[in-house]
Amino acid sequence: MRVMGVDPGLTRCGLGAVEGRPGAPLSLVAVGVVRTGADEELGARLVGIEAGIEQWLDDVRPDAVAVERVFSQHNVRTVMGTAQAAGIAVLCAARRGLPVALHTPSEVKAAITGSGTADKKQIGTMVTRLLRLSEMPKPADAADALALAICHVWRGGAQHRLAEAMAKAKTQDRLAEAVAKAKTQGRAASARTTRKDVAL
Amino acid sequence: MRVMGVDPGLTRCGLGAVEGRPGAPLSLVAVGVVRTGADEELGARLVGIEAGIEQWLDDVRPDAVAVERVFSQHNVRTVMGTAQAAGIAVLCAARRGLPVALHTPSEVKAAITGSGTADKKQIGTMVTRLLRLSEMPKPADAADALALAICHVWRGGAQHRLAEAMAKAKTQDRLAEAVAKAKTQGRAASARTTRKDVAL
């Protein structure tokens, strides 16, 4: 399973892709950052983020995309731009029909380090170790994107199986419902036919 | 000047276009809402919003797009989705090279009603009056989108002239800077040449 992680931001949007599956060693596919200038207009910045993510999706061809879930209570000054960058990442993935997962920072931290309150350095250290890299990916946004991707490989696998199972159950429910409905209509139709027969 | 206003939202994204210029009667071009289901996945919703806005831009062909500026302090529960819908509107406009303006709700209220704290009904009443409509546009999101567009026709004209003047001044500054730099380099080059002549 190849997962692309996105640590959204307007100034630095971290992107990182890993290949792996739960219980097997992970490998690095690509890591980097899409940057836009703080002096650019919002529209130009969003177009730049979209172009960068599109290029990455073309190059990396992930099976799924994991995006950090943005909360309004953090970094009030920059949160709108972060939410918009996250929205564009979700949009780009959804346009291609790729499954998108949103993970909170504490879910990612807990998945990678075992603690939901781990700091940036701890995340970087674990990403470096898990991907067997010679040095820590920089900037922190790039390491965070890899952490999101790793989190998704580990959590996403389970979530994906759960979602599949639920979708299957839903389909079976609908099927059962449709069958029941058809039977009822069948009975109603026979009932009407019977009444009609009687009436004639 | 034809302006398309966007009152961003995931469940209801209000869209409204007006034609006009400051000091002349305004006319309605189009008004409506793009809706996405609360039960849909975020990705599908954002794709739906993008498709709706793209269709509108194709049909309406505005000269500029005005989007409501989203603040993090309001409606914490829905603000992320609102910010993302706004980001997509800005993205769609910027991809086409259209000028995008962000107006705050109080700027819009002040422009349309004279009061920055006007309520929804007052906005609706003034939009109906200014566009000489037979009834108030519904839902409120559609009326708000028209209010944004009207606000931009009135404020945007002045802002546009200001931006143009500032861009012109900046170009002139850069030109003057380049000329000064060229002159300095010219002097440095002559100085070097002189020294070389002496050294030979």
Side-chain angles (χ1 to χ4, degrees):
Chain A
M1 184 190 204
R2 181 171 287 198
V3 178
M4 182 169 130
V6 181
D7 182 31
L10 284 184
T11 304
R12 283 184 308 276
C13 183
L15 299 171
V18 304
E19 180 94 39
R21 56 188 168 78
L26 297 153
S27 62
L28 174 71
V29 176
V31 62
V33 170
V34 173
R35 293 171 197 270
T36 71
D39 56 337
E40 287 181 77
E41 281 196 7
L42 177 62
R45 301 185 83 176
L46 297 179
V47 168
I49 299 284
E50 184 192 36
I53 291 172
E54 283 291 331
Q55 183 64 56
W56 263 70
L57 291 170
D58 282 345
D59 294 345
V60 164
R61 304 240 155 243
D63 302 306
V65 175
V67 182
E68 188 178 293
R69 192 184 287 278
V70 186
F71 289 107
S72 61
Q73 53 267 44
H74 303 310
N75 310 316
V76 173
R77 203 177 57 82
T78 58
V79 75
M80 290 297 126
T82 308
Q84 290 171 345
I88 285 172
V90 172
L91 174 73
C92 291
R95 273 196 308 230
R96 293 175 186 233
L98 292 173
V100 181
L102 298 170
H103 299 295
T104 66
S106 47
E107 280 169 356
V108 175
K109 287 172 186 173
I112 305 294
T113 71
S115 160
T117 58
D119 62 14
K120 290 266 174 201
K121 191 166 164 283
Q122 220 177 324
I123 298 287
T125 303
M126 284 309 294
V127 164
T128 310
R129 190 171 300 164
L130 291 165
L131 295 173
R132 289 153 292 131
L133 307 176
S134 56
E135 58 183 56
M136 203 182 284
K138 277 185 188 142
D141 314 77
D144 284 348
L146 288 172
L148 266 155
I150 296 170
C151 167
H152 187 70
V153 169
W154 289 350
R155 286 178 58 105
Q159 280 182 351
H160 182 68
R161 285 193 298 277
L162 186 64
E164 268 190 339
M166 286 180 70
K168 202 173 161 187
K170 208 167 171 184
T171 309
Q172 285 173 338
D173 279 357
R174 279 194 190 150
L175 201 65
E177 205 176 289
V179 169
K181 203 172 168 188
K183 279 182 184 166
T184 315
Q185 283 173 343
R187 273 201 299 277
S190 347
R192 271 198 301 279
T193 313
T194 312
R195 275 201 299 275
K196 202 178 169 190
D197 285 347
V198 171
L200 276 175
Chain B
M1 184 190 203
R2 180 171 289 198
V3 178
M4 181 169 132
V6 182
D7 182 31
L10 285 185
T11 304
R12 283 184 309 276
C13 184
L15 298 170
V18 303
E19 180 94 39
R21 56 187 169 79
L26 296 153
S27 62
L28 174 71
V29 177
V31 63
V33 169
V34 173
R35 292 170 198 270
T36 71
D39 56 337
E40 286 180 78
E41 281 198 6
L42 176 63
R45 301 185 84 176
L46 297 180
V47 168
I49 299 283
E50 184 192 37
I53 291 173
E54 282 292 331
Q55 184 63 56
W56 264 70
L57 290 171
D58 281 346
D59 293 346
V60 164
R61 304 241 154 241
D63 302 306
V65 175
V67 182
E68 189 178 291
R69 192 185 288 278
V70 185
F71 289 106
S72 61
Q73 54 266 43
H74 302 310
N75 310 317
V76 172
R77 204 177 56 81
T78 57
V79 75
M80 290 297 126
T82 309
Q84 290 171 345
I88 285 172
V90 172
L91 175 73
C92 291
R95 272 197 307 229
R96 293 174 185 234
L98 292 173
V100 182
L102 299 170
H103 299 295
T104 65
S106 47
E107 279 169 355
V108 175
K109 288 172 186 173
I112 305 294
T113 71
S115 160
T117 57
D119 63 13
K120 291 266 175 202
K121 190 165 164 283
Q122 220 177 323
I123 298 286
T125 304
M126 284 308 294
V127 163
T128 310
R129 189 170 302 161
L130 291 165
L131 295 174
R132 289 153 291 130
L133 307 175
S134 56
E135 58 183 55
M136 203 182 287
K138 280 186 184 137
D141 315 76
D144 283 349
L146 289 172
L148 265 156
I150 296 170
C151 167
H152 187 71
V153 169
W154 289 350
R155 288 177 55 105
Q159 281 182 349
H160 182 68
R161 284 193 298 279
L162 186 65
E164 266 189 339
M166 285 181 69
K168 202 174 161 187
K170 208 169 172 183
T171 309
Q172 284 172 338
D173 280 357
R174 280 192 190 154
L175 201 64
E177 206 177 291
V179 168
K181 201 172 167 187
K183 278 183 186 167
T184 316
Q185 283 174 343
R187 271 202 298 279
S190 345
R192 271 199 302 278
T193 313
T194 311
R195 275 201 299 277
K196 200 178 171 192
D197 285 346
V198 170
L200 278 173

